mmCIF file of all heavy atoms in Angstrom:
data_model
loop_
_atom_site.group_PDB
_atom_site.id
_atom_site.type_symbol
_atom_site.label_atom_id
_atom_site.label_comp_id
_atom_site.label_asym_id
_atom_site.label_seq_id
_atom_site.Cartn_x
_atom_site.Cartn_y
_atom_site.Cartn_z
ATOM 1 N N LEU T 1 -8.001 5.102 -9.080
ATOM 2 C CA LEU T 1 -6.786 4.469 -9.595
ATOM 3 C C LEU T 1 -5.546 5.288 -9.243
ATOM 4 O O LEU T 1 -4.523 4.742 -8.826
ATOM 5 C CB LEU T 1 -6.899 4.304 -11.108
ATOM 6 C CG LEU T 1 -5.693 3.671 -11.815
ATOM 7 C CD1 LEU T 1 -5.440 2.275 -11.280
ATOM 8 C CD2 LEU T 1 -5.913 3.644 -13.330
ATOM 9 N N ALA T 2 -5.647 6.623 -9.378
ATOM 10 C CA ALA T 2 -4.505 7.479 -9.049
ATOM 11 C C ALA T 2 -4.154 7.380 -7.567
ATOM 12 O O ALA T 2 -2.970 7.329 -7.197
ATOM 13 C CB ALA T 2 -4.825 8.935 -9.421
ATOM 14 N N GLY T 3 -5.160 7.326 -6.694
ATOM 15 C CA GLY T 3 -4.892 7.204 -5.264
ATOM 16 C C GLY T 3 -4.188 5.906 -4.923
ATOM 17 O O GLY T 3 -3.266 5.884 -4.091
ATOM 18 N N SER T 4 -4.596 4.813 -5.534
ATOM 19 C CA SER T 4 -3.936 3.528 -5.283
ATOM 20 C C SER T 4 -2.492 3.545 -5.762
ATOM 21 O O SER T 4 -1.590 3.048 -5.079
ATOM 22 C CB SER T 4 -4.710 2.399 -5.981
ATOM 23 O OG SER T 4 -5.998 2.249 -5.440
ATOM 24 N N VAL T 5 -2.259 4.140 -6.939
ATOM 25 C CA VAL T 5 -0.893 4.223 -7.467
ATOM 26 C C VAL T 5 -0.015 5.078 -6.561
ATOM 27 O O VAL T 5 1.144 4.720 -6.254
ATOM 28 C CB VAL T 5 -0.917 4.778 -8.904
ATOM 29 C CG1 VAL T 5 0.500 5.053 -9.394
ATOM 30 C CG2 VAL T 5 -1.619 3.799 -9.838
ATOM 31 N N ILE T 6 -0.552 6.207 -6.102
ATOM 32 C CA ILE T 6 0.219 7.076 -5.201
ATOM 33 C C ILE T 6 0.524 6.360 -3.895
ATOM 34 O O ILE T 6 1.634 6.448 -3.355
ATOM 35 C CB ILE T 6 -0.556 8.380 -4.942
ATOM 36 C CG1 ILE T 6 -0.643 9.205 -6.227
ATOM 37 C CG2 ILE T 6 0.093 9.199 -3.830
ATOM 38 C CD1 ILE T 6 -1.531 10.431 -6.113
ATOM 39 N N PHE T 7 -0.452 5.622 -3.366
ATOM 40 C CA PHE T 7 -0.249 4.878 -2.125
ATOM 41 C C PHE T 7 0.872 3.858 -2.277
ATOM 42 O O PHE T 7 1.753 3.741 -1.416
ATOM 43 C CB PHE T 7 -1.547 4.193 -1.732
ATOM 44 C CG PHE T 7 -1.416 3.244 -0.570
ATOM 45 C CD1 PHE T 7 -1.142 3.711 0.705
ATOM 46 C CD2 PHE T 7 -1.562 1.877 -0.760
ATOM 47 C CE1 PHE T 7 -1.027 2.832 1.775
ATOM 48 C CE2 PHE T 7 -1.443 0.998 0.288
ATOM 49 C CZ PHE T 7 -1.173 1.474 1.563
ATOM 50 N N VAL T 8 0.869 3.123 -3.375
ATOM 51 C CA VAL T 8 1.911 2.118 -3.601
ATOM 52 C C VAL T 8 3.269 2.785 -3.771
ATOM 53 O O VAL T 8 4.279 2.347 -3.193
ATOM 54 C CB VAL T 8 1.563 1.262 -4.831
ATOM 55 C CG1 VAL T 8 2.722 0.328 -5.177
ATOM 56 C CG2 VAL T 8 0.303 0.451 -4.576
ATOM 57 N N ALA T 9 3.315 3.880 -4.550
ATOM 58 C CA ALA T 9 4.586 4.549 -4.817
ATOM 59 C C ALA T 9 5.179 5.171 -3.559
ATOM 60 O O ALA T 9 6.373 4.994 -3.262
ATOM 61 C CB ALA T 9 4.394 5.612 -5.892
ATOM 62 N N THR T 10 4.357 5.895 -2.807
ATOM 63 C CA THR T 10 4.878 6.542 -1.599
ATOM 64 C C THR T 10 5.235 5.521 -0.520
ATOM 65 O O THR T 10 6.219 5.702 0.206
ATOM 66 C CB THR T 10 3.836 7.528 -1.042
ATOM 67 O OG1 THR T 10 2.581 6.838 -0.852
ATOM 68 C CG2 THR T 10 3.625 8.691 -1.992
ATOM 69 N N SER T 11 4.454 4.447 -0.403
ATOM 70 C CA SER T 11 4.768 3.421 0.587
ATOM 71 C C SER T 11 6.072 2.720 0.250
ATOM 72 O O SER T 11 6.873 2.404 1.130
ATOM 73 C CB SER T 11 3.635 2.395 0.674
ATOM 74 O OG SER T 11 2.433 3.003 1.082
ATOM 75 N N ALA T 12 6.302 2.476 -1.045
ATOM 76 C CA ALA T 12 7.550 1.826 -1.447
ATOM 77 C C ALA T 12 8.752 2.727 -1.213
ATOM 78 O O ALA T 12 9.833 2.260 -0.822
ATOM 79 C CB ALA T 12 7.469 1.430 -2.920
ATOM 80 N N SER T 13 8.569 4.035 -1.419
ATOM 81 C CA SER T 13 9.700 4.956 -1.254
ATOM 82 C C SER T 13 10.035 5.214 0.206
ATOM 83 O O SER T 13 11.200 5.433 0.562
ATOM 84 C CB SER T 13 9.400 6.284 -1.957
ATOM 85 O OG SER T 13 8.269 6.921 -1.362
ATOM 86 N N THR T 14 9.021 5.188 1.081
ATOM 87 C CA THR T 14 9.256 5.459 2.499
ATOM 88 C C THR T 14 9.415 4.201 3.337
ATOM 89 O O THR T 14 9.786 4.293 4.505
ATOM 90 C CB THR T 14 8.096 6.284 3.085
ATOM 91 O OG1 THR T 14 6.866 5.551 2.924
ATOM 92 C CG2 THR T 14 7.968 7.616 2.375
ATOM 93 N N GLY T 15 9.130 3.034 2.749
ATOM 94 C CA GLY T 15 9.248 1.782 3.509
ATOM 95 C C GLY T 15 8.091 1.529 4.441
ATOM 96 O O GLY T 15 8.166 0.653 5.303
ATOM 97 N N GLN T 16 6.995 2.282 4.306
ATOM 98 C CA GLN T 16 5.833 2.100 5.159
ATOM 99 C C GLN T 16 4.845 1.180 4.463
ATOM 100 O O GLN T 16 4.687 1.214 3.253
ATOM 101 C CB GLN T 16 5.161 3.444 5.462
ATOM 102 C CG GLN T 16 6.065 4.430 6.171
ATOM 103 C CD GLN T 16 6.373 4.002 7.585
ATOM 104 O OE1 GLN T 16 5.535 3.388 8.226
ATOM 105 N NE2 GLN T 16 7.550 4.324 8.063
ATOM 106 N N GLY T 17 4.128 0.372 5.269
ATOM 107 C CA GLY T 17 3.053 -0.432 4.742
ATOM 108 C C GLY T 17 3.461 -1.762 4.172
ATOM 109 O O GLY T 17 2.625 -2.600 3.898
ATOM 110 N N ILE T 18 4.777 -1.998 3.948
ATOM 111 C CA ILE T 18 5.202 -3.282 3.423
ATOM 112 C C ILE T 18 5.533 -4.210 4.571
ATOM 113 O O ILE T 18 5.345 -3.880 5.732
ATOM 114 C CB ILE T 18 6.409 -3.109 2.479
ATOM 115 C CG1 ILE T 18 7.573 -2.430 3.209
ATOM 116 C CG2 ILE T 18 6.033 -2.300 1.263
ATOM 117 C CD1 ILE T 18 8.808 -2.304 2.352
ATOM 118 N N ALA T 19 6.010 -5.402 4.243
ATOM 119 C CA ALA T 19 6.185 -6.432 5.271
ATOM 120 C C ALA T 19 7.141 -5.999 6.377
ATOM 121 O O ALA T 19 7.017 -6.426 7.517
ATOM 122 C CB ALA T 19 6.686 -7.720 4.621
ATOM 123 N N THR T 20 8.095 -5.140 6.049
ATOM 124 C CA THR T 20 9.022 -4.683 7.078
ATOM 125 C C THR T 20 8.537 -3.429 7.785
ATOM 126 O O THR T 20 9.206 -2.917 8.663
ATOM 127 C CB THR T 20 10.399 -4.395 6.451
ATOM 128 O OG1 THR T 20 10.231 -3.441 5.404
ATOM 129 C CG2 THR T 20 10.992 -5.667 5.867
ATOM 130 N N GLY T 21 7.370 -2.925 7.369
ATOM 131 C CA GLY T 21 6.830 -1.708 7.953
ATOM 132 C C GLY T 21 5.688 -1.989 8.889
ATOM 133 O O GLY T 21 5.726 -2.875 9.722
ATOM 134 N N ASP T 22 4.594 -1.235 8.697
ATOM 135 C CA ASP T 22 3.486 -1.291 9.631
ATOM 136 C C ASP T 22 2.503 -2.423 9.379
ATOM 137 O O ASP T 22 1.734 -2.781 10.251
ATOM 138 C CB ASP T 22 2.721 0.042 9.591
ATOM 139 C CG ASP T 22 3.597 1.193 10.041
ATOM 140 O OD1 ASP T 22 4.531 0.925 10.810
ATOM 141 O OD2 ASP T 22 3.344 2.333 9.613
ATOM 142 N N MET T 23 2.485 -2.978 8.163
ATOM 143 C CA MET T 23 1.528 -4.036 7.856
ATOM 144 C C MET T 23 2.185 -5.059 6.948
ATOM 145 O O MET T 23 3.220 -4.823 6.346
ATOM 146 C CB MET T 23 0.280 -3.449 7.198
ATOM 147 C CG MET T 23 0.512 -2.806 5.858
ATOM 148 S SD MET T 23 -1.001 -2.145 5.109
ATOM 149 C CE MET T 23 -1.227 -0.673 6.110
ATOM 150 N N GLY T 24 1.570 -6.226 6.854
ATOM 151 C CA GLY T 24 2.105 -7.276 6.014
ATOM 152 C C GLY T 24 1.747 -7.062 4.552
ATOM 153 O O GLY T 24 0.980 -6.162 4.184
ATOM 154 N N TRP T 25 2.310 -7.929 3.712
ATOM 155 C CA TRP T 25 2.064 -7.806 2.282
ATOM 156 C C TRP T 25 0.585 -7.978 1.949
ATOM 157 O O TRP T 25 0.066 -7.312 1.049
ATOM 158 C CB TRP T 25 2.906 -8.844 1.534
ATOM 159 C CG TRP T 25 4.342 -8.458 1.397
ATOM 160 C CD1 TRP T 25 5.406 -8.964 2.086
ATOM 161 C CD2 TRP T 25 4.883 -7.464 0.521
ATOM 162 N NE1 TRP T 25 6.568 -8.355 1.690
ATOM 163 C CE2 TRP T 25 6.286 -7.433 0.731
ATOM 164 C CE3 TRP T 25 4.319 -6.602 -0.413
ATOM 165 C CZ2 TRP T 25 7.115 -6.577 0.033
ATOM 166 C CZ3 TRP T 25 5.153 -5.753 -1.119
ATOM 167 C CH2 TRP T 25 6.538 -5.745 -0.889
ATOM 168 N N ALA T 26 -0.082 -8.904 2.637
ATOM 169 C CA ALA T 26 -1.500 -9.164 2.333
ATOM 170 C C ALA T 26 -2.349 -7.918 2.598
ATOM 171 O O ALA T 26 -3.148 -7.494 1.757
ATOM 172 C CB ALA T 26 -2.008 -10.342 3.150
ATOM 173 N N ALA T 27 -2.177 -7.318 3.785
ATOM 174 C CA ALA T 27 -2.944 -6.117 4.115
ATOM 175 C C ALA T 27 -2.573 -4.955 3.192
ATOM 176 O O ALA T 27 -3.440 -4.167 2.782
ATOM 177 C CB ALA T 27 -2.705 -5.729 5.575
ATOM 178 N N PHE T 28 -1.289 -4.865 2.842
ATOM 179 C CA PHE T 28 -0.851 -3.797 1.947
ATOM 180 C C PHE T 28 -1.528 -3.921 0.580
ATOM 181 O O PHE T 28 -2.008 -2.931 0.007
ATOM 182 C CB PHE T 28 0.662 -3.856 1.793
ATOM 183 C CG PHE T 28 1.217 -2.848 0.820
ATOM 184 C CD1 PHE T 28 1.213 -1.506 1.123
ATOM 185 C CD2 PHE T 28 1.737 -3.259 -0.399
ATOM 186 C CE1 PHE T 28 1.719 -0.571 0.229
ATOM 187 C CE2 PHE T 28 2.237 -2.333 -1.303
ATOM 188 C CZ PHE T 28 2.235 -0.994 -0.983
ATOM 189 N N ALA T 29 -1.605 -5.154 0.051
ATOM 190 C CA ALA T 29 -2.252 -5.374 -1.243
ATOM 191 C C ALA T 29 -3.748 -5.077 -1.171
ATOM 192 O O ALA T 29 -4.321 -4.490 -2.095
ATOM 193 C CB ALA T 29 -2.011 -6.810 -1.701
ATOM 194 N N VAL T 30 -4.382 -5.468 -0.062
ATOM 195 C CA VAL T 30 -5.817 -5.222 0.084
ATOM 196 C C VAL T 30 -6.109 -3.730 0.115
ATOM 197 O O VAL T 30 -7.031 -3.240 -0.551
ATOM 198 C CB VAL T 30 -6.354 -5.918 1.353
ATOM 199 C CG1 VAL T 30 -7.775 -5.461 1.660
ATOM 200 C CG2 VAL T 30 -6.331 -7.426 1.182
ATOM 201 N N TRP T 31 -5.325 -2.981 0.890
ATOM 202 C CA TRP T 31 -5.568 -1.535 0.971
ATOM 203 C C TRP T 31 -5.278 -0.844 -0.360
ATOM 204 O O TRP T 31 -5.930 0.147 -0.716
ATOM 205 C CB TRP T 31 -4.716 -0.916 2.075
ATOM 206 C CG TRP T 31 -5.238 -1.208 3.445
ATOM 207 C CD1 TRP T 31 -4.619 -1.914 4.427
ATOM 208 C CD2 TRP T 31 -6.504 -0.811 3.983
ATOM 209 N NE1 TRP T 31 -5.416 -1.989 5.541
ATOM 210 C CE2 TRP T 31 -6.581 -1.322 5.295
ATOM 211 C CE3 TRP T 31 -7.580 -0.088 3.488
ATOM 212 C CZ2 TRP T 31 -7.692 -1.122 6.112
ATOM 213 C CZ3 TRP T 31 -8.694 0.107 4.297
ATOM 214 C CH2 TRP T 31 -8.730 -0.407 5.591
ATOM 215 N N ALA T 32 -4.293 -1.359 -1.115
ATOM 216 C CA ALA T 32 -4.017 -0.779 -2.428
ATOM 217 C C ALA T 32 -5.177 -1.019 -3.397
ATOM 218 O O ALA T 32 -5.476 -0.173 -4.250
ATOM 219 C CB ALA T 32 -2.728 -1.362 -2.994
ATOM 220 N N LEU T 33 -5.848 -2.166 -3.268
ATOM 221 C CA LEU T 33 -6.972 -2.487 -4.145
ATOM 222 C C LEU T 33 -8.296 -1.914 -3.642
ATOM 223 O O LEU T 33 -9.286 -1.917 -4.391
ATOM 224 C CB LEU T 33 -7.107 -4.007 -4.287
ATOM 225 C CG LEU T 33 -5.978 -4.724 -5.032
ATOM 226 C CD1 LEU T 33 -6.171 -6.226 -4.931
ATOM 227 C CD2 LEU T 33 -5.938 -4.282 -6.490
ATOM 228 N N PHE T 34 -8.324 -1.457 -2.400
ATOM 229 C CA PHE T 34 -9.567 -1.035 -1.770
ATOM 230 C C PHE T 34 -10.331 0.002 -2.585
ATOM 231 O O PHE T 34 -11.511 -0.196 -2.912
ATOM 232 C CB PHE T 34 -9.254 -0.499 -0.370
ATOM 233 C CG PHE T 34 -10.431 -0.458 0.551
ATOM 234 C CD1 PHE T 34 -10.731 -1.537 1.370
ATOM 235 C CD2 PHE T 34 -11.250 0.656 0.609
ATOM 236 C CE1 PHE T 34 -11.821 -1.510 2.219
ATOM 237 C CE2 PHE T 34 -12.341 0.702 1.455
ATOM 238 C CZ PHE T 34 -12.622 -0.397 2.269
ATOM 239 N N PRO T 35 -9.721 1.135 -2.978
ATOM 240 C CA PRO T 35 -10.489 2.141 -3.748
ATOM 241 C C PRO T 35 -10.945 1.602 -5.101
ATOM 242 O O PRO T 35 -12.050 1.919 -5.553
ATOM 243 C CB PRO T 35 -9.501 3.296 -3.912
ATOM 244 C CG PRO T 35 -8.436 3.061 -2.903
ATOM 245 C CD PRO T 35 -8.344 1.589 -2.726
ATOM 246 N N ILE T 36 -10.101 0.794 -5.739
ATOM 247 C CA ILE T 36 -10.437 0.297 -7.070
ATOM 248 C C ILE T 36 -11.632 -0.639 -7.012
ATOM 249 O O ILE T 36 -12.535 -0.570 -7.854
ATOM 250 C CB ILE T 36 -9.209 -0.415 -7.687
ATOM 251 C CG1 ILE T 36 -8.049 0.576 -7.828
ATOM 252 C CG2 ILE T 36 -9.555 -1.021 -9.032
ATOM 253 C CD1 ILE T 36 -6.766 -0.053 -8.314
#
C-alpha cells in the first residue's frame, strides 16, 4: 500500500506516468493497483 501511494504521489508531483507523461490514465491506474 505504501509503495502504491508513493508511486501516485511522486508521479503527480513530477508529471510522469499520467496522460500527459509516459503512459495513459488507464495504465497509470493499473500500475498503481498492481502491488495491492
Side-chain angles (χ1 to χ4, degrees):
L1 179 60
S4 295
V5 172
I6 293 173
F7 172 68
V8 173
T10 54
S11 299
S13 63
T14 59
Q16 300 291 327
I18 58 177
T20 57
D22 297 334
M23 64 179 75
W25 282 105
F28 176 70
V30 169
W31 285 117
L33 293 173
F34 199 91
I36 299 175

